[in-house]
Amino acid sequence: MRIAMIGDTKAGKTTYMAMMYQAMVGGFKDFRLATKDTGQGSELLAEAWGIRHSKYPAMTSQRALYEFELSHQRRVFFDFLWSDYRGGALHDRSTEADTAALHADLRAADGIVVFADAERFARDPSAVARHARRLTASCEWAIAQHSGGMPLPVVIAYTKADLIRGRQSWAAAEQPLAGLRSLIASAPGVHDLSVRIRCNRRPKNVHIPVLWCLSHHIRDRIDQLERERSQWLERAGRARSEVGLVEWARARWNGTESKGDEARAHAKRAAEVAAQMAPLQRPAMELGRMIARDLA
Ligand SMILES: Nc1nc2c(ncn2[C@@H]2O[C@H](COP(=O)(O)OP(=O)(O)OP(=O)(O)O)[C@@H](O)[C@H]2O)c(=O)[nH]1
Ligand SMILES: [Mg+2]
């Protein structure tokens, strides 16, 4: 799975990566996250330590790609990629290398997290209107580009929730992306979520964007595998119903596959698909339950 994140400069993307990693690396309920590259993991933890002591990361200057592994009860069951960009890459011309890479990542994304600086949005909604339109257009484009038959999870993460107080301020903070919210709520084949997160000494909801995207993607993948398995079983059944002595003798004579061979081959494919599905089922169920509880 590939998760792409977009948001303006200083929206809190890099801060989020570090805090999310710190929350998940030691284990979150039965789930645990690890970077494939241990050096990258150590850097994220060092950044998270700084953030907890009010020292935030430097502005991102180039694209960083993180490869993560998710474990359930100490068993790795899912890999995913997450890319971090400098916020400016979203607005620059596509001739800029990282802007082109961002577009490619968005096109290939299986999940998108849109970061919105809630404090800035609430303070000056008109100043962020152009940026909000840009975020909406980028998501609309990514949704239209999305292929592969699986739904696309899209999260709007309102960052810096510690700086916003009261219902009125939240209404102001959420207003600039109202168009994007209704777009993702109504787009077919999109799972949508909005969540408020806080990345300071007392982080809040940092596990939600990542685990919610993973949870949907894994469940949709299981559904897809289940459909594939039934198709193979159906084909196996059809071939089995055509098994006969004449057909068998003809196949032997012609040196071709008999219906019995065909049925066995299809049943074997069905079993292979079931074997891919099996390790995902229990973790997916528990992940879904946990997220539903946390969002309730
Ligand atoms: N109070 C508060 N400040 C935050 C929080 N998250 C981020 N910040 C502030 O926002 C600044 C920018 O955060 P970054 O994570 O660097 O933002 P970015 O989206 O990666 O920015 P670019 O790399 O420029 O694209 C940080 O230096 C912090 O000052 C938060 O949850 N609460
Ligand atoms: Mg950054």
Side-chain angles (χ1 to χ4, degrees), residues 16 20 24 28-31 70 77 153 155 191-195 205-219 283-296:
Y16 172 76
M20 176 277 284
M24 298 282 313
F28 194 88
K29 316 276 166 72
D30 281 343
F31 294 91
L70 184 66
F77 75 101
V155 186
H191 299 296
D192 68 297
L193 176 75
S194 297
V195 63
N205 284 344
V206 289
H207 64 297
I208 298 276
V210 62
L211 291 186
W212 181 86
C213 281
L214 288 168
S215 168
H216 274 293
H217 184 80
I218 297 168
R219 256 187 294 167
M285 201 177 68
E286 291 193 15
L287 191 55
R289 259 198 224 134
M290 184 180 92
I291 295 286
R293 247 190 337 258
D294 289 353
L295 286 174

Side-chain angles (χ1 to χ4, degrees), residues 168-246:
Q168 245 178 333
S169 301
W170 271 114
E174 289 173 351
Q175 200 284 323
L177 285 182
L180 176 59
R181 280 176 85 146
S182 53
L183 170 83
I184 60 177
S186 60
V190 171
H191 299 296
D192 68 297
L193 176 75
S194 297
V195 63
R196 299 169 183 179
I197 60 178
R198 184 169 76 204
C199 291
N200 60 0
R201 274 163 220 265
R202 289 177 48 240
K204 182 151 187 245
N205 284 344
V206 289
H207 64 297
I208 298 276
V210 62
L211 291 186
W212 181 86
C213 281
L214 288 168
S215 168
H216 274 293
H217 184 80
I218 297 168
R219 256 187 294 167
D220 292 335
R221 176 82 186 124
I222 292 172
D223 290 347
Q224 193 184 45
L225 289 169
E226 185 54 61
R227 281 194 297 275
E228 239 177 80
R229 194 177 78 101
S230 334
Q231 280 166 5
W232 285 118
L233 286 176
E234 213 178 283
R235 282 182 207 171
R238 222 178 303 133
R240 220 173 284 122
S241 71
E242 291 169 24
V243 167
L245 198 58
V246 176

Side-chain angles (χ1 to χ4, degrees), residues 46-122:
E47 273 184 353
W49 190 87
I51 294 161
R52 284 194 182 252
H53 294 83
S54 306
K55 188 178 171 298
Y56 281 90
M59 238 170 116
T60 304
S61 57
Q62 58 182 28
R63 173 182 187 250
L65 186 66
Y66 296 87
E67 242 182 302
F68 291 111
E69 288 178 341
L70 184 66
S71 314
H72 176 247
Q73 294 177 344
R74 298 182 178 272
R75 187 175 292 167
V76 175
F77 75 101
F78 204 75
D79 289 355
F80 65 101
L81 292 170
W82 189 302
S83 40
D84 184 14
Y85 287 88
R86 66 180 178 94
L90 190 65
H91 299 279
D92 289 347
R93 287 165 164 273
S94 57
T95 44
E96 294 287 332
D98 61 354
T99 302
L102 172 56
H103 289 161
D105 275 347
L106 269 178
R107 194 183 312 125
D110 306 297
I112 299 176
V113 185
V114 180
F115 281 79
D117 178 339
E119 189 278 325
R120 185 167 157 237
F121 274 37

